[in-house]
Amino acid sequence: MSVQAYTVEQVAETLHIGRDKVYELIRTGHLHSIKIGKLRRITDQHLADFIASLEETSSR
């Protein structure tokens, strides 16, 4: 099993949103993340779950 973990900056660039917006999504629980020491990382599964939740919301 291979898991990729991204920085907040990488996720912001991927989603074409600002870094502050990524932190807001994490803070509000919309986007999950892990902490490794003082570092915050978003796994590929966290990102996939977040995108799936957006698709569910938009299809309603």
Side-chain angles (χ1 to χ4, degrees):
M1 181 172 116
S2 176
V3 177
Q4 183 71 35
Y6 303 100
T7 65
V8 168
E9 289 78 11
Q10 288 172 316
V11 170
E13 187 175 314
T14 299
L15 297 177
H16 301 286
I17 60 176
R19 197 173 145 266
D20 291 344
K21 182 66 175 177
V22 175
Y23 280 114
E24 178 185 332
L25 291 167
I26 292 169
R27 190 173 52 255
T28 59
H30 290 94
L31 176 62
H32 296 285
S33 66
I34 57 174
K35 281 192 81 174
I36 304 171
K38 292 183 178 185
L39 305 175
R40 175 99 28 211
R41 295 292 182 261
I42 297 100
T43 68
D44 46 1
Q45 187 60 54
H46 292 142
L47 197 50
D49 292 345
F50 173 69
I51 293 169
S53 74
L54 293 177
E55 290 173 346
E56 288 173 12
T57 302
S58 66
S59 67
R60 290 182 190 173

